[in-house]
Amino acid sequence: MKGSLLSPAVIQKVLDTIQKTYRCGYQLAKQPKREKVLIDYSSPNIAKPFHAGHLRSTLIGNFVAKINSTVGHEVVRINYLGDWGLQFGLLGAGFKRYGSETQLADNPIKHLFDVYVEANKMADKDPVIEREAREFIQSMEQGDSNSLNLWQRFRQYSIEDYIKTYRRLGIEFDEYSGESQYWNKTPQLLEDLTMKGLLQTTQKGTQIVDLSDMYTGHSSYATLARSDGTSLYLTRDITAAIDRYDHHKFDRMYYVVDKSQVNHFKQLIGVLRMMGYSWANRIHHIQFGRVTGMKTRRGEVVFLADILDEARTRMLHNMQVTDTTKQLDDPDLTAEQLGISAVILQDFARRLSKDYKFDWDRLLQSQGNTGIFLQYTHARLYSLEQQAGFPIPSSVESIDTSHLQEPEAIDLVAHIAQFDSIVLKAYQEMEPHVIVKYLLRLGHLVSSAHKKLRVKDSPIEIAQARLILFNSARLTLAHGMDILGMKPVDQM
């Protein structure tokens, strides 16, 4: 839609649609067939660092959930915790050697992480540690009450800490599950594969499924059991997928995991296909690239909370040294929301599969293509509404859109009119950068229009038309930011 071709009637229709629908929450006008969509994302490992990869999975998964909800699908958000397997064996064995009940009570997540790091380091030097880790896992799988009680405590401490951090991001999950729910179902899976003639035992004693008819290279066979009979991550993932389909009968299921796991998901889908599950084709792996350079002033990032704390602290400092910062009721909360928006936009600024370098200085700038710029635009538009001296007109029919014929007004209306098609494109490609690019352009068009189209001190008929245009731009911006996972601020 070219701006120069917009008539007052077309402008009125565009603004009327926005005013009637966006004020009550946005949903795509022409929605695809409603589906049930499961999204597996974030999925940190108990007591291991919540590293940058988990941050990306968390932010991207939240976008995938929101964009699917926006187009009308029923969405189930799943956080599938890494709460079983060898790394947990290392933690259990390590706690028996290096653990402290006092430190665990004082700061559980930090202490569990310290214990894991020490156990992992010692395991490289002393094979006894790794043997003890495997024995701890075996004792858990055999139902040892002491080992299971310790595991349950560690798991609960971790979930409580994760929920606090997710709350800061405005993220909630419908289900917290984990590998631990499926280890005791893996023998049945292996038995089913044996009955179907699909499971083979290698000379080393491991059990595999041959996928060479589907794949070549590392994906051509899937190892499902170690020589000692213990299950692997892939085995538990397969049983989880079967359980999820039995329970949810999903139309699609997304795994939001970095691109290094591409072979894992090929094998997951391949084994399910070999077993005759036609719904395996409904499983999709949303791959994303690596992040480098994510450090705080204290050094390497260890926990997600470290990133959020650093973003808030740096943003608060920037606000304190900026003359234009408003007097805020809760500057810490505003700084946090701004910092999170900055992190989100930097992450979504390019195709998900691309690697990028984390840059604190660039992402917190208020000028240029940043999350802070989007927030500044929203706050600026909100301020304009508050200072107009009259309320936003209750309907578009009451204003004269012939007063919106300046190039800046027409360009802004034309861009706003594209929002539905942009949301649909972002959904079809499952790429947030589509919306990011659109919103940044919207911000620049608002900036140009704000300089040219004065509301205050203009004749009332012109002022009303301009105010409803700017309000429509703010509503569009707010809904776009929400899909990306940002909370628009009204002041900054």
Side-chain angles (χ1 to χ4, degrees):
M1 182 184 293
K2 291 186 178 181
S4 59
L5 302 179
L6 294 186
S7 66
V10 170
I11 293 172
Q12 185 172 34
K13 184 177 180 180
V14 170
L15 299 182
D16 187 54
T17 299
I18 291 167
Q19 291 296 314
K20 286 180 176 176
T21 58
Y22 289 21
R23 286 189 183 186
C24 303
Y26 173 79
Q27 278 206 324
L28 193 67
K30 294 181 180 179
Q31 297 182 354
K33 179 185 174 184
R34 183 172 169 83
E35 295 180 343
K36 188 168 191 178
V37 179
L38 272 59
I39 305 163
D40 178 325
Y41 64 107
S42 195
S43 305
N45 295 308
I46 297 294
K48 287 180 73 175
F50 197 119
H51 58 70
H54 292 301
L55 172 64
R56 290 214 77 188
S57 175
T58 304
L59 299 180
I60 295 165
N62 190 44
F63 160 77
V64 174
K66 282 179 171 289
I67 197 78
N68 274 277
S69 294
T70 298
V71 302
H73 294 322
E74 178 188 355
V75 172
V76 180
R77 300 161 176 83
I78 300 174
N79 198 342
Y80 182 67
L81 302 173
D83 62 355
W84 207 258
L86 184 58
Q87 98 274 349
F88 206 92
L90 274 171
L91 179 63
F95 192 80
K96 289 182 177 180
R97 283 176 173 252
Y98 315 115
S100 161
E101 288 291 342
T102 303
Q103 292 181 57
L104 184 65
D106 182 51
N107 192 336
I109 298 304
K110 183 179 184 305
H111 183 55
L112 290 177
F113 174 67
D114 291 343
V115 166
Y116 176 80
V117 169
E118 183 65 21
N120 206 38
K121 182 174 71 177
M122 295 307 295
D124 290 337
K125 303 175 183 177
D126 185 356
V128 174
I129 303 289
E130 186 167 338
R131 190 187 73 227
E132 289 176 357
R134 294 190 183 280
E135 289 172 352
F136 189 87
I137 284 295
Q138 283 180 313
S139 70
M140 287 172 62
E141 295 196 350
Q142 290 165 4
D144 178 71
S145 59
N146 290 331
S147 299
L148 287 173
N149 286 339
L150 195 63
W151 163 81
Q152 183 62 44
R153 289 174 63 204
F154 293 169
R155 188 180 191 274
Q156 193 57 38
Y157 280 137
S158 297
I159 290 175
E160 288 171 2
D161 186 73
Y162 293 148
I163 288 174
K164 291 177 188 174
T165 305
Y166 292 133
R167 192 175 293 130
R168 294 174 66 179
L169 287 165
I171 291 174
E172 294 182 350
F173 291 91
D174 300 303
E175 293 181 14
Y176 277 90
S177 63
E179 296 176 65
S180 57
Q181 291 176 232
Y182 300 105
W183 68 267
N184 58 353
K185 297 181 180 181
T186 56
Q188 183 61 53
L189 173 69
L190 297 175
E191 185 178 327
D192 291 347
L193 287 163
T194 301
M195 293 290 290
K196 292 175 183 289
L198 298 173
L199 199 65
Q200 303 174 19
T201 302
T202 67
Q203 291 182 338
K204 294 180 180 179
T206 58
Q207 293 181 296
I208 67 167
V209 173
D210 185 352
L211 302 174
S212 58
D213 286 345
M214 298 182 190
Y215 309 123
T216 58
H218 294 299
S219 303
S220 62
Y221 66 90
T223 303
L224 298 181
R226 298 186 183 91
S227 56
D228 62 4
T230 54
S231 60
L232 280 81
Y233 182 71
L234 176 60
T235 329
R236 298 186 288 276
D237 248 10
I238 294 168
T239 56
I242 295 169
D243 182 69
R244 288 174 186 176
Y245 187 77
D246 289 343
H247 182 68
H248 291 288
K249 296 293 189 289
F250 55 80
D251 296 291
R252 274 178 296 135
M253 178 163 65
Y254 292 108
Y255 289 92
V256 185
V257 184
D258 76 73
K259 61 187 179 183
S260 69
Q261 298 299 309
V262 63
N263 286 329
H264 172 86
F265 290 104
K266 279 185 177 181
Q267 292 172 348
L268 169 70
I269 294 167
V271 171
L272 290 170
R273 282 176 178 165
M274 294 282 283
M275 295 180 74
Y277 292 118
S278 59
W279 51 262
N281 293 325
R282 303 179 187 182
I283 295 174
H284 305 276
H285 174 202
I286 295 182
Q287 306 173 35
F288 55 84
R290 297 292 183 89
V291 187
T292 58
M294 188 174 278
K295 296 181 180 181
T296 68
R297 287 190 173 96
R298 296 190 303 275
E300 291 291 340
V301 166
V302 176
F303 303 116
L304 175 57
D306 295 337
I307 305 167
L308 304 186
D309 289 346
E310 184 84 2
R312 180 183 60 202
T313 301
R314 289 185 184 234
M315 197 63 232
L316 195 58
H317 171 75
N318 288 1
M319 289 161 59
Q320 289 167 347
V321 299
T322 302
D323 294 337
T324 56
T325 299
K326 301 280 195 302
Q327 189 69 34
L328 303 171
D329 294 333
D330 191 342
D332 280 2
L333 178 60
T334 300
E336 171 127 311
Q337 291 171 343
L338 294 175
I340 290 170
S341 297
V343 171
I344 289 171
L345 192 130
Q346 182 170 245
D347 199 274
F348 290 172
R350 63 202 59 76
R351 287 198 167 273
L352 296 178
S353 60
K354 291 189 176 181
D355 302 339
Y356 76 92
K357 185 175 180 180
F358 197 88
D359 186 341
W360 281 113
D361 293 332
R362 184 162 179 260
L363 75 91
L364 294 174
Q365 291 175 2
S366 59
Q367 302 296 318
N369 295 334
T370 66
I372 307 302
F373 170 66
L374 292 184
Q375 288 284 18
Y376 172 75
T377 302
H378 186 273
R380 191 182 194 185
L381 288 170
Y382 182 82
S383 176
L384 185 151
E385 293 171 14
Q386 300 305 303
Q387 296 175 14
F390 58 90
I392 299 165
S394 58
S395 70
V396 177
E397 288 89 346
S398 65
I399 68 165
D400 184 355
T401 51
S402 67
H403 293 305
L404 298 175
Q405 289 299 301
E406 298 87 351
E408 293 82 4
I410 290 176
D411 287 345
L412 189 52
V413 172
H415 194 70
I416 291 170
Q418 296 172 33
F419 187 57
D420 256 20
S421 62
I422 290 295
V423 169
L424 183 60
K425 183 181 180 185
Y427 163 72
Q428 290 168 339
E429 297 181 9
M430 215 52 69
E431 285 282 356
H433 80 87
V434 174
I435 292 178
V436 167
K437 183 179 178 181
Y438 171 86
L439 294 182
L440 290 171
R441 175 66 178 154
L442 177 61
H444 291 301
L445 288 173
V446 165
S447 181
S448 296
H450 190 270
K451 293 174 185 174
K452 182 78 174 178
L453 310 176
R454 287 189 58 80
V455 173
K456 208 168 184 180
D457 302 326
S458 293
I460 188 64
E461 297 84 359
I462 296 174
Q464 285 181 326
R466 289 175 177 176
L467 185 62
I468 210 162
L469 169 60
F470 283 123
N471 175 253
S472 298
R474 184 177 68 80
L475 291 172
T476 304
L477 175 61
H479 289 308
M481 291 171 71
D482 178 70
I483 293 171
L484 297 177
M486 301 178 187
K487 296 177 183 177
V489 301
D490 295 336
Q491 289 183 302
M492 59 180 285

